[in-house]
Amino acid sequence: MLLSEIKKKALNLAKGLELVDFGFALPYTWILVEGPEGKALGVAMTLPEEVQRYTNSISEPSIKAFIERANSLNVIERTLGIAAVNAVSQYHLDVSDLPDVDVVELVEGFSEVAVIGNMPPVVRALREKGVKTFVFERNPKLWDRETLSDALEYILLPEVEAVIVSGSALVNGTLEMILDRAKKAKLIVLTGPTSQIHSELVKGTRITHLAAMKVIDLERALLGLKLGSFRGFEKGNRKYVVEVC
């Protein structure tokens, strides 16, 4: 399974790193790690609508313990696991030479795009460009009149050539199905803060690009997360796009 493979690779990246702090919180769960080269922060979108039981089998928090739960059926454990995977990924990622481009620019030349996870700014920009856009969303609170249930991904994705996927698909466990169903897709972009995963961890998965955020101002980003503020977190970041070779 995809998350199992990501977990194995991430455990190798975690060698030599120590857990500094963490929080299961809204809007993002976060993990702070430290190594010889400094600190790095990884996040994963918290999906309260997915939480069934507020339990956790982790008794002694550590980077390894969190990453080991990246494929857990318990969404709290899985969220912490993905945040830990992202934290160790960010520690090893240098974005200084990576382009800061909008994800919409990546789909130039495609007439139809599937957007998985309702991202209003992205959807609006695509439609303003005249791109036929299918928007899929699992959370009914994020639906609008033109949003489709994520249940329809199974039917419609095989015909689409470009797909923009919210990184939260890692958290809710749907990414593997999306990649499997998007059989004709020539472009598959994992985007948003939760897509901070290192490109080496998703090689061979058909993901073509990662469009995420690198924390540059650690203190500012951490304060925003602790205050439950996405904008506060975002101000400490730099957007980047990396091609998965």
Side-chain angles (χ1 to χ4, degrees):
M1 292 179 63
L2 178 59
L3 288 179
S4 297
E5 291 302 312
I6 287 173
K7 179 178 77 172
K8 291 177 185 177
K9 294 177 183 178
L11 285 170
N12 286 326
L13 282 184
K15 291 176 181 177
L17 301 183
E18 297 292 332
L19 177 66
V20 177
D21 204 355
F22 65 94
F24 180 78
L26 292 173
Y28 293 101
T29 289
W30 54 275
I31 303 282
L32 181 64
V33 301
E34 185 173 21
E37 302 300 320
K39 296 178 181 178
L41 184 66
V43 301
M45 178 169 280
T46 304
L47 305 174
E49 68 275 10
E50 299 273 339
V51 178
Q52 295 174 300
R53 294 177 296 166
Y54 288 91
T55 59
N56 197 317
S57 66
I58 300 172
S59 57
E60 296 185 14
S62 68
I63 299 174
K64 181 179 179 182
F66 286 140
I67 293 176
E68 287 282 6
R69 304 310 197 283
N71 61 339
S72 171
L73 295 179
N74 180 320
V75 71
I76 296 176
E77 295 178 356
R78 192 165 66 249
T79 306
L80 286 162
I82 296 301
V85 169
N86 284 343
V88 301
S89 294
Q90 290 294 297
Y91 178 83
H92 292 283
L93 182 65
D94 179 8
V95 304
S96 57
D97 293 327
L98 295 178
D100 175 5
V101 299
D102 194 282
V103 66
V104 175
E105 295 178 42
L106 297 175
V107 298
E108 291 289 343
F110 291 94
S111 58
E112 291 187 349
V113 177
V115 177
I116 300 178
N118 191 9
M119 295 171 271
V122 173
V123 174
R124 184 166 51 251
L126 288 171
R127 287 177 173 161
E128 286 175 354
K129 289 176 175 287
V131 178
K132 185 176 182 180
T133 308
F134 299 100
V135 184
F136 302 93
E137 175 58 54
R138 169 168 290 195
N139 186 353
K141 291 183 179 179
L142 300 178
W143 288 357
D144 56 36
R145 292 180 180 179
E146 296 183 273
T147 305
L148 301 170
S149 165
D150 71 327
L152 293 175
E153 292 169 9
Y154 191 85
I155 299 170
L156 297 175
L157 282 183
E159 302 305 318
V160 180
E161 293 191 343
V163 184
I164 298 174
V165 188
S166 167
S168 60
L170 281 165
V171 178
N172 65 25
T174 61
L175 182 58
E176 190 165 9
M177 182 278 292
I178 292 166
L179 296 174
D180 181 63
R181 294 303 293 168
K183 299 178 180 184
K184 289 184 180 179
K186 297 177 181 177
L187 180 85
I188 302 179
V189 185
L190 195 65
T191 189
T194 312
S195 59
Q196 293 175 313
I197 191 168
H198 200 287
S199 61
E200 290 293 325
L201 303 188
V202 292
K203 272 189 176 181
T205 64
R206 298 188 63 246
I207 292 172
T208 62
H209 296 78
L210 298 167
M213 294 179 174
K214 173 78 172 181
V215 175
I216 303 300
D217 188 335
L218 191 58
E219 291 186 5
R220 188 172 193 177
L222 261 179
L223 180 60
L225 290 170
K226 290 179 177 180
L227 292 174
S229 168
F230 170 72
R231 291 190 180 279
F233 165 70
E234 189 178 35
K235 288 178 180 178
N237 286 264
R238 175 194 182 280
K239 291 183 178 180
Y240 67 87
V241 171
V242 58
E243 187 172 358
V244 181
C245 299

